[in-house]
Amino acid sequence: MPGPLDGLVVLDLSRILAGPTCTQLLGDLGAEVIKMESLGGDDTRQWGPPFAVDAEGQATDLSAYFMSSNRNKQSVAVDLTDRQVQRMLHDLAGRADVVIENFKPGGLRKYGLDHETLCAAYPGLVYCSISGFGQTGPNRDKPGYDLMAQGFGGIMSITGEAGEEPMKVGVGVADVVCGLYAATGILAALRHRDATGEGQHIDLALVDTTMSWLVNQGLNYLTSGTAPTRAGNAHPNIVPYQVFATSDGYVIVAVGNDSQYARFCDYLGQPDWAIDPRFVTNTARLAHRDTLVPMIAEALVGRTMQDVIDGLEARKVPVGPVNTIEQALESDQAQARGMTITLPAPQTATGEVRLIGNPLKFSRTPVNYRSAPPATGADTDAVLKRLRDDL
């Protein structure tokens, strides 16, 4: 069944994670994504182990990192410094609806593939540029990687335990969120193009998008003038809303209102805590966090995870486990929701690769998993032949 973006052509000049996250999403929704790579391939092909292996047990160019964001794409491997290749890409951009790239600002100008050149030549083109700091500002020429964006954008300053060093989030979340913003911006620009015939340039920065998802913590500063600090797993505005140790693992208790708190106290066998003036409201609990949280921790540490989960679920108090990645991806819930998928990959020893699924569930135009992440240049001949035939 065709996806909602069936017929859309995307020329993907991006690499690493932010751009590929965007284009994989567009590909999942039915777009034809032509991924242009250097002759050596996307940098992330070498970011391993682990790698998918071939029948002889040798590593392929399909690292787990690369496969995380490159399904539903065709791979064309070329030398971008070749004038003939540059002309070919210029022509290909003219047949595309979208161009996406993550070179340094101005880096594609010497090849004639910058947004000014291509948008002037093809007025209906939607051209998305992703960079560390954006196309303007005093830092525009500085390189940008996920870790640097997390540091500059503020999220690391509030991640980690109080008094300890700042911590990054455990995955490249700045890249991923930037990719999601890119997909949203591209779809909005396409709607404008379809209504008016006008394409446009989208300027997106890793650092900007990182600041955008500071959400309540960013607003806590803008409202109070006081910068938030690291508090481990504690919530800055709600108590109790954090991780607690049990006898055999960790649970998350997320008490969102005072009635839930009263039911939580019932489970703990501490009804007096629900009427204690220090704890009766969330505002009071915030003020007396340092007193209440150790009391809760002591009450929970001798109980099993399952006892806490069963007891709080029975009382309709939000609770859940802290799963390992294995437990999360192999859970009944993940399987029921299609959050792991398997796609054919003949070059691998098993003939297939296992990937994380797309979370979007459409009632009319479901996500379409057409192809596994490609080998470097797997589609070069086919794409170039088609382009020559069209000229």
Side-chain angles (χ1 to χ4, degrees):
M1 178 182 295
L5 300 183
D6 185 53
L8 193 77
V9 178
V10 178
L11 177 56
D12 184 1
L13 303 178
S14 71
R15 59 216 186 277
I16 314 297
L17 187 55
T21 294
C22 169
T23 52
Q24 177 171 269
L25 177 54
L26 299 178
D28 283 356
L29 300 181
E32 178 185 1
V33 179
I34 303 171
K35 180 180 178 69
M36 308 305 300
E37 302 188 63
S38 69
L39 295 177
D42 188 308
D43 293 354
T44 61
R45 288 186 182 275
Q46 307 305 318
W47 288 10
F51 297 92
V53 298
D54 61 21
E56 284 71 46
Q58 299 300 308
T60 67
D61 64 355
L62 298 178
S63 70
Y65 198 115
F66 176 81
M67 290 193 293
S68 72
S69 56
N70 283 289
R71 67 169 168 258
N72 285 339
K73 301 179 186 181
Q74 303 167 65
S75 172
V76 177
V78 295
D79 177 3
L80 196 56
T81 65
D82 186 309
R83 292 291 186 185
Q84 185 175 354
V85 168
Q86 294 164 19
R87 289 192 293 271
M88 178 269 293
L89 289 176
H90 194 292
D91 291 339
L92 191 53
R95 288 158 175 75
D97 300 281
V98 176
V99 171
I100 181 168
E101 55 91 8
N102 63 348
F103 285 72
K104 291 180 182 179
L108 286 173
R109 187 170 294 118
K110 60 186 175 183
Y111 304 128
L113 299 172
D114 54 294
H115 69 88
E116 294 98 339
T117 300
L118 292 183
C119 288
Y122 310 114
L125 182 66
V126 171
Y127 190 115
C128 180
S129 296
I130 296 174
S131 60
F133 291 90
Q135 305 295 306
T136 59
N139 293 340
R140 72 181 292 270
D141 294 321
K142 292 184 179 182
Y145 289 91
D146 177 90
L147 179 61
M148 296 166 68
Q150 289 195 41
F152 194 97
I155 189 66
M156 285 180 66
S157 74
I158 57 171
T159 304
E161 294 295 333
E164 300 295 331
E165 70 176 14
M167 297 293 291
K168 71 178 181 68
V169 180
V171 297
V173 65
D175 276 327
V176 171
V177 174
C178 188
L180 297 177
Y181 267 103
T184 301
I186 286 168
L187 294 177
L190 287 170
R191 180 171 173 81
H192 175 77
R193 191 277 307 271
D194 292 345
T196 67
E198 295 177 339
Q200 60 184 297
H201 180 225
I202 301 168
D203 170 11
L204 197 57
L206 285 177
V207 167
D208 293 351
T209 56
T210 299
M211 292 180 185
S212 77
W213 52 267
L214 292 174
V215 288
N216 62 299
Q217 288 282 53
L219 265 294
N220 285 346
Y221 163 69
L222 292 176
T223 301
S224 70
T226 300
T229 57
R230 291 182 293 287
N233 290 311
H235 195 287
N237 304 106
I238 310 172
V239 174
Y241 193 106
Q242 64 187 78
V243 173
F244 290 98
T246 69
S247 63
D248 59 351
Y250 294 89
V251 295
I252 296 167
V253 175
V255 171
N257 57 52
D258 296 335
S259 62
Q260 289 178 359
Y261 173 69
R263 298 196 297 274
F264 177 52
C265 293
D266 176 70
Y267 165 73
L268 295 177
Q270 299 289 348
D272 290 347
W273 294 1
I275 57 175
D276 188 316
R278 296 173 298 171
F279 313 137
V280 70
T281 66
N282 182 65
T283 300
R285 292 192 293 277
L286 277 170
H288 296 92
R289 180 202 299 269
D290 292 343
T291 300
L292 178 60
V293 169
M295 293 164 58
I296 295 172
E298 183 178 359
L300 291 177
V301 73
R303 308 177 189 223
T304 67
M305 287 179 61
Q306 201 58 53
D307 178 81
V308 176
I309 291 171
D310 291 344
L312 294 184
E313 284 183 343
R315 291 167 174 80
K316 300 188 184 305
V317 176
V319 63
V322 178
N323 282 333
T324 64
I325 289 178
E326 178 184 8
Q327 290 169 332
L329 294 180
E330 303 297 349
S331 67
D332 292 345
Q333 179 68 16
Q335 299 311 303
R337 295 288 292 174
M339 287 312 300
T340 63
I341 61 171
T342 301
L343 290 176
Q347 71 269 43
T348 66
T350 61
E352 60 187 21
V353 291
R354 198 171 179 213
L355 307 172
I356 296 175
N358 191 304
L360 290 168
K361 314 298 180 191
F362 290 91
S363 64
R364 297 290 186 184
T365 54
V367 166
N368 187 349
Y369 302 114
R370 301 180 301 285
S371 61
T376 306
D379 306 287
T380 302
D381 292 342
V383 171
L384 296 187
K385 180 180 184 302
R386 191 177 65 193
L387 181 61
R388 286 193 298 266
D389 290 345
D390 288 344
L391 292 176

